[in-house]
Each structure stands twice: as C-alpha cells, then as structure tokens.
Amino acid sequence: MSQAIQPDQVSSDWRRELRAMIVLALPVVLSEIGWMLQSIVDTIMVGGLGPSAIGAVALGNAVYYTPSMFGFGLLLGLDTLVSQAYGRGDHEACHHWLAQSVYLACIITPPLMLFGIAFSLGFAHIGIAPSVAIPAGAYLRILTLGTLPLLLYAAARRYLQGVGQVRVITVAFVFANILNWFGNWALIYGKFGFPRLGVPGSAISTCVARVSMAAILFFYAWRYEARRGHPLFRHWARISLLKICQLARLGAPAAGQIVLEVGAWNLATLAAGWLTPVQLATHQIALNYASFTYMVPLGLSSAAAVSVGHAIGAGDVAKARRAGWLAIALGVGFMLLAAIAFFVAPGPLIALYTRDAAVMAVGPSLLGLAAIFQVFDGIQAVSTGALRGLGETRVAMWANFFGYWLLGLPLGIASCFLLHWGIYGLWIGLTVALIVISVILIYRWNRDSNRSLSVS
C-alpha cells in the first residue's frame, strides 16, 4: 500500500519544492536584474555622447568590477553560514556572521580602492585611444568611491537572503535604478541646473545609488529582526579575527571563481580596447545583453544556495538535491528563451543602445554567439550556487581557471589577433570556455549531491 502511494508523494514533494523555489528565487532574480540595470543604464545614458563614451564606460567597469567582485565574493560564504544557521534555528549565529562580514568589508575596501585608482592612471599608456582612455580613467576614479557601500550592500543582501527575506532587495534596486537613471540624465547632460559632466557624471550617479541600496537593506534588516524579537544591533558582535578568517576561507574560493570569470570577460574588454572604438562599443552592448540574461540564472544560483543550505542545515539531503535540480532546470529554461530572442531580433536589440551604422553591422553576429552559449552559461551559474549550498566552493574556481584562462582566453586572443577574426575571435574563445565549465560543474553537482544522499 505504501509503495502504491510513493510516486504521488514524490510528485507532491517536487511540486512543493518548485513553488518554494519560485517564491524564493523571483525576488532574488529581480534583484540581480536590478543590479545589472545600473551598468545598462550607465551605458545607454552615455550612448548619446558617441561610441567613445560607451567604450569609456565599458573599460571603467571592466577594471573596477574585477577587484570589487573579489571583495563581493569573499562575502559569499554568508550564503552557507547564514542559511545553515537559519536552518538550525540559530538566530544569534546569523547576527554574528553579519557583523563579521561588515568588518571584513571595511578591511578589504582600502586596497580595492587603491587598485582602481592606480589603474585609472594607466589607460593612456597601454594603447587605448585617448578619446576613450581619458574619460575611462575619470569614470573609474569616481566609481571607486562607491566600493564600501557596494560591499556593505553585499553583506546585508547575503544575510537577508539567508534568512529568507528577499523582497526588500528588489525594492531597494527599483529605488536605486530610478535614482541612478535620474542622476545620469541630470549629471551627464546638465539638467535641472546640474553641471554637464559627461561620462564622470554617470559614475557619480552610480555611487549615490549604491549608498541608497546599502542604507535600505540595513534599515530593513534592523526592522525585521526587531519585529521578531531578535534585535540586530542590541548585542552587535565584536570583531573576531578567527571568525573573519573562517568567513574569508569559505568565501575565498567563491571570490576566486568570480574574479576568474569576471576577469576573463573584462580582459576580453581590454583586448577589445586595442581594436577600434566601434568594435569595443559593440562588444560592450552585446556583453550587456549577455550579462543581463545571466542575472536570471545568477539569481537562481543564490536561491539554490539558500534552499540547499536550509535543507542541509535541517538534515534533509533529499530535499537539498531536489532544490538544486529544480533551480538548474529553471535556469536552463529561461536561457533557452533568451537564446531564441538573440537569434530572432538582434537588430532591434542593438538599436536600443545606438543606431550607429558601423555598430549595427557588427552587433547581430556577436549576439548570435551569445545565443549559442546561453544555456551553458545558465547551467554553470546555477550549479555553482547549488554546490555552494552544500559547502563546496572550490570546484567552481578551478573549473573557471581551466575553462577561461587555460582554454578560452588563449583561444580567443589567438583567434582575434593572430587569425585576425577581431572581436568575433574573442567571443568564440569565451563560448568554448563556458561550454567546458558547465559540463564540469553539472557533473560535480550530480556527483556530490548524490554522494551526500547516499551517506545520509
């Protein structure tokens, strides 16, 4: 009799997990999209200044986000520590880890800022056209001022995701993007009595938006915990170097993975800077679209990390495995739709940024390459989060090192400059890298989650 109802029970478990995953993932996905919209808004708003301005924003972001995402990645250990503590019902531990993440953010901010400022002075000396190098340097120097708010936002966000409070993250990004859009319009073009600052005005607007994001999330965390009877700041933990090192050790492989991934694409952007301003601008537009669609599986990755972490903390390994596979399936489904859109309507998508004839000629082919790797990008992103929920953060780092730095980048740079395929060669190499990384990570998720199930 029990065997006869087992399939129905399994089906019910999957449906229940699917509903829970969507409820958790949707606000996180919207938040990731909101995060990406800041860069998209910056690029679109400077588009009226011409291809060189688009290229300047591209280079500034390329250099800024590589080290800053390392700091962001160090805080990803909160996904594991907070979600598993919350799954055990240990609210004090959740508060403790948030406090240590704030201290860690303050420690790593100064070296990250120094790196950005130092690099901003070197664009003109590495072969970048002066029309791009000068505004790119100014943009980068201003953008570094928003590093601490960015990392504090990251800490508050990982904490709120870990305790299942994700809707406010979407609210914060909606507000921040409206603020960023208005700031771009006012400061780039000199509206409402503001000075006409051009590209640097965009960076100022982004910094202000990031301050608002951090403030909103910390205020909400305080209100949420006060209502639950667990005041966040009443017993704020003192700095613990031992705990900070534990957090950093867990986050370091995730930080390394992010740096290897983001650094690969940003190195490709620098390489595109040695081509023409038109190819650089086209690269940035196509990359914006690929990054935008990537935000959905990235949000699902965070949801998978939290869901898997909660289940592991509660001792339910079967539920953890279901959560991981459901997140991967949702990510693949969305990226398949994105690939179809890139194939069907590349021209109108490029025209949203610029109608420059040269850019319009190059852009559709790059979006075609982006369409090819969409599904693989979704698989590798969500698998990384699911593995992080299990406490495994190293394999993604090594997969990205092999896929991008030993295979994809050398192939792309050789195709670009030795075979003279230009920007298309760079993107072919990056596409190959994503295919290889996705195969490695989906294999490890299946093996490790199945092994955990067998052990339990």
Side-chain angles (χ1 to χ4, degrees):
M1 181 70 174
S2 60
Q3 290 183 348
I5 64 173
Q6 188 174 5
D8 291 338
Q9 180 62 46
V10 171
S11 177
S12 176
D13 289 342
W14 279 92
R15 288 196 300 270
R16 185 170 59 253
E17 291 299 321
L18 177 60
R19 288 193 297 269
M21 177 62 65
I22 292 174
V23 169
L24 175 63
L26 185 59
V28 180
V29 167
L30 292 175
S31 301
E32 297 291 1
I33 291 173
W35 162 260
M36 183 58 205
L37 279 174
Q38 288 192 350
S39 295
I40 292 177
V41 167
D42 288 353
T43 304
I44 291 175
M45 294 301 290
V46 302
L49 302 177
S52 293
I54 296 176
V57 170
L59 287 180
N61 282 326
V63 174
Y64 177 77
Y65 281 112
T66 300
S68 65
M69 286 299 100
F70 175 80
F72 203 99
L74 283 178
L75 301 172
L76 286 178
L78 287 173
D79 279 350
T80 302
L81 295 169
V82 174
S83 64
Q84 292 189 4
Y86 186 77
R88 296 191 304 270
D90 190 348
H91 303 293
E92 287 302 316
C94 295
H95 295 181
H96 186 87
W97 286 118
L98 174 61
Q100 302 311 313
S101 70
V102 170
Y103 298 135
L104 179 58
C106 293
I107 291 169
I108 62 180
T109 290
L112 295 179
M113 292 182 65
L114 287 174
F115 178 89
I117 292 171
F119 207 103
S120 71
L121 304 175
F123 284 126
H125 303 289
I126 58 174
I128 306 297
S131 63
V132 175
I134 294 173
Y139 180 86
L140 177 56
R141 284 190 292 275
I142 296 171
L143 207 60
T144 59
L145 299 177
T147 301
L148 181 58
L150 175 66
L151 296 183
L152 291 177
Y153 147 78
R157 174 182 166 173
R158 304 331 288 195
Y159 173 80
L160 288 169
Q161 287 178 185
V163 299
Q165 297 299 305
V166 292
R167 293 183 181 179
V168 66
I169 304 172
T170 304
V171 173
F173 265 117
V174 169
F175 176 81
N177 274 292
I178 293 172
L179 183 62
N180 189 39
W181 175 84
F182 175 79
N184 269 275
W185 183 61
L187 295 174
I188 293 173
Y189 300 104
K191 305 296 183 179
F192 283 100
F194 288 96
R196 181 183 174 92
L197 300 178
V199 170
S202 179
I204 294 173
S205 176
T206 299
C207 289
V208 172
R210 287 176 181 166
V211 170
S212 74
M213 291 190 306
I216 290 171
L217 293 194
F218 269 97
F219 176 77
Y220 181 85
W222 169 71
R223 288 287 303 274
Y224 168 71
E225 295 295 356
R227 288 197 302 268
R228 292 202 310 145
H230 300 282
L232 186 62
F233 299 118
R234 180 174 297 174
H235 303 291
W236 186 256
R238 294 181 179 180
I239 187 170
S240 168
L241 294 180
L242 182 63
K243 293 294 185 181
I244 288 176
C245 289
Q246 183 180 348
L247 176 60
R249 278 197 302 270
L250 184 58
Q257 177 258 317
I258 290 175
V259 168
L260 290 169
E261 181 178 7
V262 174
W265 284 94
N266 289 342
L267 180 60
T269 299
L270 288 175
W274 293 322
L275 301 171
T276 66
V278 167
Q279 291 197 64
L280 173 59
T282 309
H283 163 84
Q284 177 63 15
I285 292 170
L287 180 57
N288 268 2
Y289 277 115
S291 300
F292 180 80
T293 58
Y294 176 71
M295 293 301 104
V296 174
L298 185 61
L300 286 165
S301 174
S302 295
V306 171
S307 295
V308 172
H310 283 173
I312 293 295
D316 192 341
V317 180
K319 183 178 180 180
R321 183 171 165 84
R322 286 196 302 271
W325 280 116
L326 282 170
I328 291 169
L330 290 171
V332 168
F334 173 82
M335 294 301 263
L336 183 60
L337 294 176
I340 293 171
F342 287 172
F343 271 127
V344 170
L349 291 174
I350 298 296
L352 288 176
Y353 284 85
T354 179
R355 295 187 179 275
D356 183 90
V359 174
M360 292 291 292
V362 178
S365 297
L366 282 190
L367 281 182
L369 285 170
I372 292 172
F373 66 63
Q374 289 296 286
V375 168
F376 300 102
D377 207 10
I379 290 173
Q380 68 90 16
V382 185
S383 297
T384 296
L387 285 166
R388 195 163 66 245
L390 291 177
E392 171 55 70
T393 57
R394 292 169 296 177
V395 65
M397 179 182 70
W398 291 114
N400 277 267
F401 176 71
F402 173 76
Y404 281 118
W405 294 89
L406 296 186
L407 182 61
L409 277 175
L411 175 63
I413 291 173
S415 300
C416 176
F417 296 106
L418 298 182
L419 299 181
H420 305 291
W421 292 354
I423 195 65
Y424 303 119
L426 282 174
W427 278 60
I428 288 172
L430 294 167
T431 300
V432 171
L434 281 169
I435 293 172
V436 171
I437 293 167
S438 69
V439 171
I440 294 172
L441 293 182
I442 195 70
Y443 167 77
R444 279 300 299 265
W445 160 252
N446 182 58
R447 193 195 75 173
D448 290 6
S449 62
N450 196 45
R451 178 180 295 171
S452 298
L453 184 62
S454 300
V455 171
S456 67

